């Protein structure tokens, strides 16, 4: 990031002023908006746009606090044909397990841990960002283990409906590794801004780095996840818009 850009960013934040803690809304009032731009763009461009447009727009007088995140989103990549089934299985697994008090531990079940998540954070990011094979295989590992466990427990799958009160996020792991999100998310995001692997259910190749992984956040963790997403200086993880999710589920 250039020094000129940093100075402009500092001025913007100084003009806005800090948001008092008591004004922070519940997650349901926080809206994350994205722009689906055609054609490919570099990761550096994406990160720059995220830094420029995240949190810099003033809210109208008396309006609820709204977070705007403008990020090019590529929805044309290959998705697993059982996208909706995987999402339902993730809801069935995570819904009864997630606890806000243990957001990190209850979304990182040892039984579901893919081998790549056994590495230290630097090695993990190096592996997942170099090729889509690694994150795709990680999601496949999680999906298979979760499906086997649900079958053993004879666990019925929930109707997707309102996603059981949770919501879907996307991450490309293209983070600045600042560790700012760990505390606000109570460990749902680790020091490398990686969400708990229990929530992962689909991988999409986008032609950039390791592609995108989609996950589902249980309602008990929505506020924590949103706080974590918000403080990451770059947009490496974000909520899906309604229309984007509908397109993914119908593809």
């Amino acid at each position: 990031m250039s020094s000129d850009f940093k100075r402009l960013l500092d001025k913007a934040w100084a003009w806005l002023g800090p948001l008092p803690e008591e004004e922070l809304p519940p997650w349901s009032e926080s809206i994350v908006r994205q722009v689906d731009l055609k054609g490919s763009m570099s990761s550096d461009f994406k990160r720059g746009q995220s830094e420029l447009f995240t949190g810099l727009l003033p809210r109208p007088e008396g309006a609820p606090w709204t977070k705007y995140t403008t990020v090019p989103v590529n929805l044309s990549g290959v998705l697993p044909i059982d996208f909706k089934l995987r999402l339902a299985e993730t809801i069935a697994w995570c819904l009864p397990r997630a606890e806000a008090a243990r957001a990190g531990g209850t979304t990182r079940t040892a039984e579901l841990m893919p081998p790549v998540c056994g590495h230290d954070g630097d090695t993990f990011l190096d592996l997942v960002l170099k090729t889509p094979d690694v994150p795709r295989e990680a999601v496949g590992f999680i999906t298979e283990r979760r499906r086997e466990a649900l079958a053993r427990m004879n666990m019925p799958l929930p109707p997707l409906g309102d996603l059981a009160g949770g919501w879907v996020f996307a991450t490309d792991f293209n983070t600045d590794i600042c560790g700012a999100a760990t505390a606000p998310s109570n460990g749902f995001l680790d020091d490398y801004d990686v969400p708990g692997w229990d929530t992962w259910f689909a991988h999409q190749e986008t032609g950039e780095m390791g592609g995108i992984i989609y996950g589902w956040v249980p309602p008990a963790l929505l506020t924590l996840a949103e706080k974590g997403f918000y403080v990451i200086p770059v947009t490496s993880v974000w909520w899906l818009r309604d229309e984007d999710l509908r397109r993914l589920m119908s593809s």
Side-chain angles (χ1 to χ4, degrees):
M1 190 187 302
S2 69
S3 57
D4 289 341
F5 181 84
K6 288 181 179 178
R7 284 195 294 272
L8 289 173
L9 192 60
D10 290 340
K11 287 181 180 179
W13 279 116
W15 174 71
L16 282 173
L19 182 66
E21 182 66 26
E22 62 269 19
E23 288 189 38
L24 286 172
W27 178 87
S28 60
E29 295 181 13
S30 181
I31 304 171
V32 177
R33 299 180 180 176
Q34 300 170 305
V35 176
D36 183 10
L37 300 181
K38 301 300 181 183
S40 61
M41 293 191 177
S42 69
S43 296
D44 289 341
F45 179 87
K46 187 191 76 170
R47 291 157 73 96
Q49 291 296 296
S50 171
E51 290 164 352
L52 181 62
F53 290 109
T54 299
L56 297 184
L57 300 178
R59 55 180 175 154
E61 185 70 26
W65 180 261
T66 302
K67 177 187 173 188
Y68 292 87
T69 303
T70 303
V71 182
V73 178
N74 183 351
L75 297 179
S76 61
V78 177
L79 284 162
I81 58 175
D82 56 349
F83 185 93
K84 290 191 286 189
L85 173 61
R86 291 179 178 216
L87 175 54
E89 290 171 339
T90 304
I91 293 173
W93 179 268
C94 293
L95 189 63
R97 288 173 171 78
E99 298 177 18
R102 299 190 300 126
T106 55
T107 54
R108 290 180 174 83
T109 306
E111 181 181 1
L112 303 191
M113 187 183 78
V116 68
C117 290
H119 294 285
D120 64 89
D122 290 324
T123 303
F124 169 85
L125 287 182
D126 186 55
L127 289 170
V128 300
L129 292 177
K130 278 184 175 179
T131 171
D133 289 344
V134 172
R136 182 176 61 248
E137 290 170 0
V139 174
F141 181 95
I142 294 166
T143 300
E144 183 178 345
R145 291 293 184 91
R146 182 169 51 221
R147 190 167 291 168
E148 292 172 352
L150 290 172
R152 286 197 306 270
M153 295 183 290
N154 198 26
M155 180 79 70
L157 299 184
L160 291 179
D162 64 350
L163 300 181
W167 199 243
V168 174
F169 69 86
T171 179
D172 61 7
F173 303 109
N174 198 2
T175 182
D176 65 344
I177 322 178
C178 67
T182 309
S185 70
N186 201 21
F188 173 68
L189 296 160
D190 66 15
D191 290 342
Y192 289 76
D193 302 327
V194 178
W197 57 73
D198 282 20
T199 64
W200 306 359
F201 68 90
H203 174 263
Q204 181 183 30
E205 293 185 24
T206 62
E208 281 204 27
M209 307 184 86
I212 289 175
I213 281 180
Y214 294 97
W216 176 81
V217 177
L221 306 185
L222 285 175
T223 298
L224 292 172
E226 166 61 10
K227 288 179 179 179
F229 296 178
Y230 185 77
V231 300
I232 301 173
V234 297
T235 303
S236 61
V237 57
W238 60 93
W239 301 112
L240 263 65
R241 300 181 304 172
D242 288 336
E243 55 266 39
D244 288 345
L245 181 57
R246 284 195 296 269
R247 287 173 60 187
L248 288 170
M249 293 178 71
S250 63
S251 62

